[in-house]
Amino acid sequence: MSTGSSIDVLLHLSSTPDNSRDQDLDAIAKRLQVDAAFRVEFGGGPFVWTNLAKVLTRVVKDGLDPEQVEQLMFIFRIIRNSVAGVTENQDQARVAGLPKLIQEVVSQAAHTHYGNAGYIMMLRAGVQALSNLLTGNEASKDYIWDSFLVQIPSPSCDRNLLSTLAAIEDETIVLSTVMLCYNCVFESHKRSALLFSTKAGQKLLKQLMIESHATSAKEDRKSFEMTYTFINHLIEQDFIEQLYEALKDDEQESEEEYKIRYHGEGFHDDVKEAETVPKIQELRIEEVEDEESTSATKSSPKENKKSSYLSQEQVTLLKMVDSRIYSHHEKQQESFQLQQQQSHGTPSATNAYDPFAVDETDPPVSLETTDFLTGIFSKVSALTIEVFKGLDKGGVGEHSVEDLANLSSGLMLLLGCFAHLSLHEDGQVNVRPKLDSGDDAAEDGVNEEIEQRAEVVPVPDWFKAQHMTMVNGGLVESAIELLRQSDVSLARVSKPVSGNSTGSPAMEANAESTVLSNTSTAQGQDSFFVGLKRDIVRLIGNLAYRSRHVQDRIRNCNGLIVMLSQCNIDDANPYLREYAILAMKNILTGNAENQALIEELQPIEAVDHPALQEARITSKLDAETGRPVLSQHKS
């Protein structure tokens, strides 16, 4: 179809609604999709943008007619394809008021589709049109982002339209919405700040976290990947504190303020590859294939949430932070192993380019983010200590399943973040030196020789600064105090649970609580914190490694005895003893004061371990040496 014919079709529709011209509109949209020259010619035609605006203005004025839904889908596709990569067309569309008109029509459709597949197709095209209107155009980004978050087109338009769109369970709509948001905040601190200073922005962030949590088991979803990229960019801009605060539960928030959540069959369908492009630089949807599949939707109200220790959305944010830090640590290890292979002349496979990978030569997060996480850990650990003090002998307290699940998940995620932030690959040689055949005598000295030959890679300045930020923020003291209370409140499980035995109440409760049902964990709420002692000990051991400053802080807060008491088997904390022994080595190495304090300790009595009791072995202290002596009783 020629440019002249296309303009005639739009001129006719601007004055007279006529569904018989839908095939012509479809032909125009398809040609615009594949013909870049036609886009420029079409956009320069007389009254093209004003005619498109007239069609949408009539819809906004008269209301959305179900008979016009398909035609509106074609109109949106024409706009979407005509502005793709053509700045002049984007500017003319903005001057004609198309962004706000599209926003109004999309707002009506988002609340009236009620399972109609045609509405879903039209919504997809509308959101994609808005995204293409601003891609690569700073003026359009400011204009559209402001209209979404600050100045809504009219009182009838949904002031929380972005969160409404993100709640529609259609993969393409959610993906396009997040891509639109990412394009707006990309390398713009000012536009990112609007997310946190407006109610609409805060609701969008909450809804994205709700959807991320709902699809966390399906990380191959492109909408999940895009949300992760979007949140990561905000973290890179040092908005972690604002993000965390925006995601907290607000008990004063009324149920009417939440938008309807739509459920669609197409949400779990695969998205066509042509609908997405690499997402590191500005995102484009120029070559979008029109969908022919249908999807049905239904709605259900979102339940109002009460205030808790941590909200589920905050926990989801911490998961993303933990994933970012872990990926950075993995990249560090891969880089070091590659260096080792190259230094030993070992060929290595070339790693595939990962556009979402974090550069291991830079810190995983900024010092501001590290400092904030340290402060959050202090608050969360203090809350956890309060919970532990309220537990009775059976490990039961007055706490809901949701509160404890969020509190324990957030605490363990923070410990995981710090465990990797405090661990830098120092270049210790892992490959054993070659020994002459049959030279068994040399085997005993291998480990010592490896330690002496350890190649130390210079620790980057950002790691040293990061380490001091955590330490000066009181991480050591908070962790020691939490470990001290954990030792008092959490029963040590010293006997593995067999398949036939009922096991301890704590372990039984753990099996139930992993399901996270809405029932009370009457058998022991301490079971939510399985593995807590081990993770604290691992963190303290990492922080104390080659750090005299940390070694002294542990001693000054009376943490040596607490750490030494962890050198026991505890089946609720796998590998606790091994981590504790390694941690004590790091705490004592090169520190005469710590060593002297340990040497002053005297054994009081020998306590039989259940495993020894099963083998009919008892222990007692030798009166002269003070060492334990084992003896076995015959049956």
Side-chain angles (χ1 to χ4, degrees):
M1 180 172 287
S2 65
T3 302
S5 301
S6 302
I7 295 174
D8 290 340
V9 172
L10 296 178
L11 179 62
H12 173 71
L13 291 177
S14 66
S15 58
T16 306
D18 186 357
N19 290 340
S20 66
R21 308 305 297 268
D22 287 357
Q23 289 186 348
D24 293 333
L25 293 175
D26 187 23
I28 296 172
K30 288 180 177 177
R31 184 177 177 188
L32 287 168
Q33 179 178 323
V34 298
D35 192 340
F38 181 60
R39 295 176 194 168
V40 177
E41 183 181 354
F42 175 84
F47 308 113
V48 167
W49 305 106
T50 54
N51 287 334
L52 286 169
K54 287 180 180 179
V55 174
L56 297 181
T57 300
R58 184 175 62 249
V59 175
V60 171
K61 180 180 178 181
D62 299 338
L64 189 59
D65 185 351
E67 298 296 326
Q68 291 183 289
V69 168
E70 186 175 19
Q71 185 174 100
L72 284 170
M73 176 187 67
F74 292 132
I75 293 292
F76 286 158
R77 288 178 178 176
I78 287 174
I79 298 172
R80 178 194 70 187
N81 296 340
S82 62
V83 301
V86 184
T87 304
E88 293 78 5
N89 290 357
Q90 293 171 337
D91 291 338
Q92 292 191 67
R94 184 181 70 252
V95 171
L98 287 182
K100 290 190 175 182
L101 289 170
I102 295 174
Q103 188 175 341
E104 293 242 26
V105 175
V106 167
S107 177
Q108 291 186 35
H111 291 278
T112 58
H113 65 78
Y114 297 120
N116 188 306
Y119 280 74
I120 292 294
M121 304 293 285
M122 187 257 281
L123 281 170
R124 291 177 180 179
V127 179
Q128 290 167 349
L130 287 169
S131 187
N132 272 11
L133 276 166
L134 58 80
T135 300
N137 191 312
E138 290 299 312
S140 292
K141 287 180 182 180
D142 289 335
Y143 179 82
I144 294 176
W145 197 236
D146 184 76
S147 69
F148 266 122
L149 299 181
V150 182
Q151 300 176 356
I152 58 175
S154 72
S156 63
C157 186
D158 182 5
R159 66 176 58 250
N160 300 305
L161 182 56
L162 286 174
S163 59
T164 300
L165 293 171
I168 298 177
E169 291 198 0
D170 179 87
E171 173 75 3
T172 305
I173 293 175
V174 176
L175 176 63
S176 299
T177 301
V178 182
M179 291 173 76
L180 183 154
C181 296
Y182 180 76
N183 272 338
C184 285
V185 305
F186 184 74
E187 295 184 345
S188 173
H189 195 274
K190 177 182 177 181
R191 286 193 291 267
S192 295
L194 275 179
L195 285 168
F196 310 101
S197 61
T198 60
K199 289 287 187 181
Q202 294 174 19
K203 283 185 175 293
L204 169 66
L205 293 170
K206 276 193 174 183
Q207 189 58 52
L208 290 178
M209 287 302 180
I210 290 172
E211 296 301 326
S212 296
H213 176 67
T215 58
S216 59
K218 302 179 177 63
E219 297 186 9
D220 59 325
R221 296 293 134 191
K222 289 181 171 57
S223 61
F224 179 90
E225 294 178 2
M226 195 65 250
T227 300
Y228 178 78
T229 303
F230 175 62
I231 297 299
N232 255 306
H233 190 66
L234 295 176
I235 294 173
E236 289 172 358
Q237 293 177 310
D238 285 331
F239 282 111
I240 181 67
E241 182 175 358
Q242 293 89 332
L243 265 171
Y244 189 84
E245 289 300 315
L247 297 175
K248 68 180 181 181
D249 281 336
D250 187 357
E251 57 185 354
Q252 296 180 346
E253 199 168 18
S254 64
E255 183 174 354
E256 288 75 15
E257 288 181 301
Y258 283 105
K259 287 298 153 188
I260 297 174
R261 184 176 182 179
Y262 301 102
H263 303 270
E265 294 177 0
F267 183 71
H268 296 298
D269 294 338
D270 289 333
V271 180
K272 297 179 181 180
E273 290 298 327
E275 291 177 353
T276 60
V277 293
K279 313 178 213 25
I280 289 306
Q281 300 303 321
E282 293 225 340
L283 307 174
R284 302 181 181 275
I285 321 180
E286 290 100 331
E287 307 300 334
V288 180
E289 294 184 7
D290 294 334
E291 305 88 343
E292 303 298 335
S293 60
T294 60
S295 61
T297 59
K298 60 182 180 179
S299 64
S300 63
K302 183 183 185 298
E303 295 183 357
N304 192 21
K305 298 174 65 178
K306 64 181 183 62
S307 177
S308 62
Y309 291 116
L310 280 83
S311 69
Q312 180 59 64
E313 292 77 27
Q314 288 175 323
V315 173
T316 303
L317 172 64
L318 292 177
K319 286 182 181 179
M320 292 185 176
V321 176
D322 177 61
S323 177
R324 175 183 177 85
I325 294 172
Y326 176 77
S327 298
H328 182 277
H329 180 70
E330 288 288 290
K331 199 70 178 177
Q332 273 188 331
Q333 289 186 320
E334 290 175 7
S335 177
F336 173 74
Q337 290 173 1
L338 181 61
Q339 293 176 12
Q340 290 296 302
Q341 290 173 351
Q342 291 174 347
S343 64
H344 289 84
T346 305
S348 59
T350 303
N351 293 332
Y353 172 68
D354 182 2
F356 298 103
V358 180
D359 187 353
E360 76 280 0
T361 61
D362 295 327
V365 291
S366 67
L367 292 181
E368 289 79 3
T369 298
T370 301
D371 183 57
F372 175 75
L373 292 175
T374 305
I376 290 297
F377 178 79
S378 296
K379 296 178 181 179
V380 173
S381 61
L383 283 172
T384 306
I385 290 173
E386 290 183 12
V387 169
F388 288 168
K389 289 181 178 179
L391 297 176
D392 58 23
K393 291 183 179 180
V396 178
E398 300 297 328
H399 312 284
S400 70
V401 170
E402 182 180 9
D403 284 343
L404 287 181
N406 290 338
L407 180 61
S408 61
S409 296
L411 180 61
M412 302 300 276
L413 286 167
L414 286 168
L415 285 170
C417 289
F418 292 126
H420 290 103
L421 287 175
S422 60
L423 185 62
H424 186 271
E425 183 60 71
D426 67 355
Q428 192 166 0
V429 179
N430 294 318
V431 181
R432 287 172 173 261
K434 292 183 179 180
L435 301 175
D436 296 334
S437 178
D439 190 3
D440 296 333
E443 185 71 22
D444 295 336
V446 166
N447 291 330
E448 183 178 355
E449 181 181 352
I450 293 176
E451 185 72 21
Q452 293 174 351
R453 291 175 51 190
E455 302 173 9
V456 178
V457 176
V459 177
D461 291 338
W462 62 257
F463 180 80
K464 297 176 183 177
Q466 184 177 263
H467 178 89
M468 292 308 300
T469 298
M470 291 186 289
V471 174
N472 292 336
L475 183 59
V476 174
E477 290 79 3
S478 296
I480 288 291
E481 192 58 35
L482 180 57
L483 182 61
R484 195 191 319 275
Q485 187 62 48
S486 300
D487 232 12
V488 174
S489 302
L490 303 184
R492 180 177 296 143
V493 182
S494 57
K495 186 175 181 180
V497 181
S498 64
N500 297 326
S501 64
T502 57
S504 67
M507 296 302 286
E508 290 179 355
N510 182 56
E512 288 189 10
S513 63
T514 52
V515 182
L516 294 184
S517 63
N518 291 325
T519 59
S520 174
T521 54
Q523 290 181 321
Q525 294 183 350
D526 57 349
S527 60
F528 281 93
F529 299 93
V530 169
L532 176 61
K533 295 180 185 178
R534 174 201 60 210
D535 288 357
I536 296 175
V537 169
R538 177 177 64 169
L539 169 61
I540 295 174
N542 288 352
L543 291 171
Y545 181 62
R546 295 182 179 176
S547 175
R548 177 60 183 261
H549 183 56
V550 173
Q551 292 173 342
D552 292 341
R553 292 180 80 113
I554 295 172
R555 183 183 69 253
N556 294 335
C557 67
N558 299 318
L560 283 176
I561 305 301
V562 180
M563 289 295 294
L564 191 61
S565 66
Q566 306 308 311
C567 298
N568 283 292
I569 294 176
D570 185 350
D571 289 302
N573 292 272
Y575 302 107
L576 173 63
R577 182 178 62 177
E578 288 75 12
Y579 277 116
I581 293 172
L582 179 59
M584 289 305 301
K585 176 187 176 183
N586 292 344
I587 293 170
L588 298 176
T589 300
N591 194 307
E593 291 86 348
N594 287 355
Q595 294 172 11
L597 186 59
I598 295 298
E599 288 176 355
E600 292 175 2
L601 298 177
Q602 296 294 328
I604 300 175
E605 62 177 339
V607 179
D608 290 336
H609 192 276
L612 296 178
Q613 293 176 353
E614 286 188 356
R616 293 184 174 84
I617 296 176
T618 59
S619 60
K620 64 178 181 179
L621 293 179
D622 185 274
E624 295 181 1
T625 65
R627 297 179 178 276
V629 177
L630 301 180
S631 60
Q632 185 172 21
H633 299 279
K634 297 182 179 180
S635 56

mmCIF file of all heavy atoms in Angstrom, residues 30 47 73 117 170 179 206 262 328 331 360 370 400 436 498 513 529 562 568 582:
data_model
loop_
_atom_site.group_PDB
_atom_site.id
_atom_site.type_symbol
_atom_site.label_atom_id
_atom_site.label_comp_id
_atom_site.label_asym_id
_atom_site.label_seq_id
_atom_site.Cartn_x
_atom_site.Cartn_y
_atom_site.Cartn_z
ATOM 1 N N LYS A 30 1.996 -3.862 8.629
ATOM 2 C CA LYS A 30 2.972 -4.874 8.217
ATOM 3 C C LYS A 30 4.069 -4.280 7.338
ATOM 4 O O LYS A 30 5.239 -4.652 7.441
ATOM 5 C CB LYS A 30 2.266 -6.013 7.501
ATOM 6 C CG LYS A 30 1.445 -6.895 8.449
ATOM 7 C CD LYS A 30 0.758 -8.030 7.717
ATOM 8 C CE LYS A 30 0.019 -8.929 8.719
ATOM 9 N NZ LYS A 30 -0.724 -10.025 8.050
ATOM 10 N N PHE A 47 -0.796 15.435 7.748
ATOM 11 C CA PHE A 47 -1.878 15.132 8.691
ATOM 12 C C PHE A 47 -1.896 13.675 9.178
ATOM 13 O O PHE A 47 -2.916 13.217 9.690
ATOM 14 C CB PHE A 47 -3.243 15.467 8.074
ATOM 15 C CG PHE A 47 -3.326 16.852 7.516
ATOM 16 C CD1 PHE A 47 -3.465 17.062 6.136
ATOM 17 C CD2 PHE A 47 -3.236 17.960 8.345
ATOM 18 C CE1 PHE A 47 -3.525 18.350 5.620
ATOM 19 C CE2 PHE A 47 -3.304 19.242 7.831
ATOM 20 C CZ PHE A 47 -3.446 19.444 6.457
ATOM 21 N N MET A 73 -6.167 -2.144 17.827
ATOM 22 C CA MET A 73 -4.931 -2.931 17.827
ATOM 23 C C MET A 73 -4.099 -2.595 16.593
ATOM 24 O O MET A 73 -2.874 -2.390 16.686
ATOM 25 C CB MET A 73 -5.260 -4.417 17.848
ATOM 26 C CG MET A 73 -4.033 -5.320 17.763
ATOM 27 S SD MET A 73 -4.464 -7.071 17.599
ATOM 28 C CE MET A 73 -5.204 -7.071 15.949
ATOM 29 N N ALA A 117 -9.793 -12.000 24.591
ATOM 30 C CA ALA A 117 -8.459 -12.143 24.003
ATOM 31 C C ALA A 117 -8.103 -10.962 23.118
ATOM 32 O O ALA A 117 -6.934 -10.568 23.022
ATOM 33 C CB ALA A 117 -8.372 -13.436 23.213
ATOM 34 N N ASP A 170 0.156 -11.634 31.514
ATOM 35 C CA ASP A 170 0.454 -11.920 30.115
ATOM 36 C C ASP A 170 1.926 -11.600 29.917
ATOM 37 O O ASP A 170 2.359 -10.453 30.160
ATOM 38 C CB ASP A 170 -0.421 -11.075 29.195
ATOM 39 C CG ASP A 170 -0.115 -11.323 27.729
ATOM 40 O OD1 ASP A 170 -0.702 -12.255 27.145
ATOM 41 O OD2 ASP A 170 0.729 -10.577 27.177
ATOM 42 N N MET A 179 10.359 -3.272 30.009
ATOM 43 C CA MET A 179 11.317 -2.705 29.048
ATOM 44 C C MET A 179 11.096 -1.207 28.898
ATOM 45 O O MET A 179 12.058 -0.427 28.802
ATOM 46 C CB MET A 179 11.180 -3.411 27.703
ATOM 47 C CG MET A 179 11.645 -4.863 27.710
ATOM 48 S SD MET A 179 11.306 -5.735 26.169
ATOM 49 C CE MET A 179 12.571 -5.054 25.119
ATOM 50 N N LYS A 206 6.574 -2.432 43.868
ATOM 51 C CA LYS A 206 5.985 -3.526 44.641
ATOM 52 C C LYS A 206 5.402 -4.592 43.733
ATOM 53 O O LYS A 206 5.585 -5.791 43.957
ATOM 54 C CB LYS A 206 4.893 -2.979 45.569
ATOM 55 C CG LYS A 206 5.396 -2.438 46.884
ATOM 56 C CD LYS A 206 4.247 -2.209 47.850
ATOM 57 C CE LYS A 206 4.769 -1.793 49.222
ATOM 58 N NZ LYS A 206 3.674 -1.634 50.207
ATOM 59 N N TYR A 262 -4.756 -9.506 36.955
ATOM 60 C CA TYR A 262 -5.410 -10.257 35.898
ATOM 61 C C TYR A 262 -4.635 -11.537 35.611
ATOM 62 O O TYR A 262 -3.415 -11.528 35.550
ATOM 63 C CB TYR A 262 -5.502 -9.406 34.628
ATOM 64 C CG TYR A 262 -6.264 -8.128 34.835
ATOM 65 C CD1 TYR A 262 -5.582 -6.922 34.988
ATOM 66 C CD2 TYR A 262 -7.649 -8.130 34.916
ATOM 67 C CE1 TYR A 262 -6.278 -5.743 35.201
ATOM 68 C CE2 TYR A 262 -8.341 -6.952 35.117
ATOM 69 C CZ TYR A 262 -7.652 -5.766 35.258
ATOM 70 O OH TYR A 262 -8.335 -4.604 35.476
ATOM 71 N N HIS A 328 29.059 -12.113 40.871
ATOM 72 C CA HIS A 328 30.350 -11.420 40.851
ATOM 73 C C HIS A 328 31.443 -12.309 41.435
ATOM 74 O O HIS A 328 32.550 -12.395 40.896
ATOM 75 C CB HIS A 328 30.234 -10.123 41.654
ATOM 76 C CG HIS A 328 31.479 -9.302 41.671
ATOM 77 N ND1 HIS A 328 32.514 -9.536 42.548
ATOM 78 C CD2 HIS A 328 31.866 -8.244 40.907
ATOM 79 C CE1 HIS A 328 33.485 -8.660 42.329
ATOM 80 N NE2 HIS A 328 33.118 -7.865 41.343
ATOM 81 N N LYS A 331 32.381 -15.006 39.057
ATOM 82 C CA LYS A 331 33.196 -14.461 37.978
ATOM 83 C C LYS A 331 34.639 -14.270 38.443
ATOM 84 O O LYS A 331 35.589 -14.499 37.680
ATOM 85 C CB LYS A 331 32.614 -13.117 37.543
ATOM 86 C CG LYS A 331 33.077 -12.663 36.174
ATOM 87 C CD LYS A 331 32.485 -13.533 35.075
ATOM 88 C CE LYS A 331 32.915 -13.029 33.701
ATOM 89 N NZ LYS A 331 32.413 -13.894 32.624
ATOM 90 N N GLU A 360 34.293 -8.550 37.183
ATOM 91 C CA GLU A 360 34.909 -8.939 38.447
ATOM 92 C C GLU A 360 36.002 -7.975 38.882
ATOM 93 O O GLU A 360 36.457 -8.010 40.012
ATOM 94 C CB GLU A 360 35.486 -10.355 38.344
ATOM 95 C CG GLU A 360 36.795 -10.482 37.575
ATOM 96 C CD GLU A 360 36.601 -10.499 36.079
ATOM 97 O OE1 GLU A 360 35.450 -10.407 35.622
ATOM 98 O OE2 GLU A 360 37.604 -10.617 35.353
ATOM 99 N N THR A 370 26.861 -1.480 50.397
ATOM 100 C CA THR A 370 27.431 -2.338 51.443
ATOM 101 C C THR A 370 27.115 -1.786 52.822
ATOM 102 O O THR A 370 26.746 -2.532 53.744
ATOM 103 C CB THR A 370 28.950 -2.464 51.267
ATOM 104 O OG1 THR A 370 29.237 -3.007 49.973
ATOM 105 C CG2 THR A 370 29.553 -3.370 52.325
ATOM 106 N N SER A 400 3.852 -15.434 63.680
ATOM 107 C CA SER A 400 3.160 -16.052 62.544
ATOM 108 C C SER A 400 4.168 -16.704 61.601
ATOM 109 O O SER A 400 5.356 -16.365 61.597
ATOM 110 C CB SER A 400 2.358 -14.996 61.782
ATOM 111 O OG SER A 400 3.222 -14.104 61.102
ATOM 112 N N ASP A 436 57.665 -37.646 42.831
ATOM 113 C CA ASP A 436 58.283 -38.761 42.132
ATOM 114 C C ASP A 436 57.519 -40.039 42.431
ATOM 115 O O ASP A 436 56.959 -40.218 43.513
ATOM 116 C CB ASP A 436 59.752 -38.921 42.568
ATOM 117 C CG ASP A 436 60.576 -37.715 42.163
ATOM 118 O OD1 ASP A 436 60.174 -37.051 41.173
ATOM 119 O OD2 ASP A 436 61.591 -37.427 42.837
ATOM 120 N N SER A 498 16.675 -40.437 61.589
ATOM 121 C CA SER A 498 16.538 -41.587 60.693
ATOM 122 C C SER A 498 15.154 -41.588 60.068
ATOM 123 O O SER A 498 14.253 -40.872 60.494
ATOM 124 C CB SER A 498 16.763 -42.890 61.468
ATOM 125 O OG SER A 498 15.767 -43.049 62.449
ATOM 126 N N SER A 513 7.630 -26.689 58.012
ATOM 127 C CA SER A 513 7.688 -25.265 57.714
ATOM 128 C C SER A 513 8.248 -24.977 56.330
ATOM 129 O O SER A 513 8.051 -23.886 55.809
ATOM 130 C CB SER A 513 8.539 -24.534 58.750
ATOM 131 O OG SER A 513 9.875 -24.995 58.715
ATOM 132 N N PHE A 529 15.268 -21.365 61.412
ATOM 133 C CA PHE A 529 16.627 -20.844 61.414
ATOM 134 C C PHE A 529 17.666 -21.951 61.317
ATOM 135 O O PHE A 529 18.784 -21.809 61.821
ATOM 136 C CB PHE A 529 16.843 -19.999 62.666
ATOM 137 C CG PHE A 529 15.915 -18.819 62.735
ATOM 138 C CD1 PHE A 529 14.694 -18.917 63.405
ATOM 139 C CD2 PHE A 529 16.238 -17.644 62.104
ATOM 140 C CE1 PHE A 529 13.831 -17.840 63.459
ATOM 141 C CE2 PHE A 529 15.374 -16.551 62.149
ATOM 142 C CZ PHE A 529 14.168 -16.651 62.831
ATOM 143 N N VAL A 562 32.463 -17.915 72.374
ATOM 144 C CA VAL A 562 31.270 -18.243 71.569
ATOM 145 C C VAL A 562 31.682 -18.990 70.310
ATOM 146 O O VAL A 562 31.064 -19.999 69.945
ATOM 147 C CB VAL A 562 30.499 -16.963 71.202
ATOM 148 C CG1 VAL A 562 29.269 -17.304 70.370
ATOM 149 C CG2 VAL A 562 30.088 -16.202 72.452
ATOM 150 N N ASN A 568 31.479 -28.151 67.343
ATOM 151 C CA ASN A 568 30.694 -29.333 67.676
ATOM 152 C C ASN A 568 29.857 -29.740 66.477
ATOM 153 O O ASN A 568 29.576 -28.938 65.584
ATOM 154 C CB ASN A 568 29.754 -29.054 68.864
ATOM 155 C CG ASN A 568 30.479 -29.061 70.186
ATOM 156 O OD1 ASN A 568 30.960 -30.091 70.646
ATOM 157 N ND2 ASN A 568 30.580 -27.893 70.812
ATOM 158 N N LEU A 582 38.038 -23.847 61.029
ATOM 159 C CA LEU A 582 38.714 -22.949 60.096
ATOM 160 C C LEU A 582 38.644 -21.504 60.585
ATOM 161 O O LEU A 582 39.625 -20.751 60.496
ATOM 162 C CB LEU A 582 38.083 -23.064 58.714
ATOM 163 C CG LEU A 582 38.672 -22.171 57.616
ATOM 164 C CD1 LEU A 582 40.153 -22.466 57.413
ATOM 165 C CD2 LEU A 582 37.909 -22.343 56.305
#
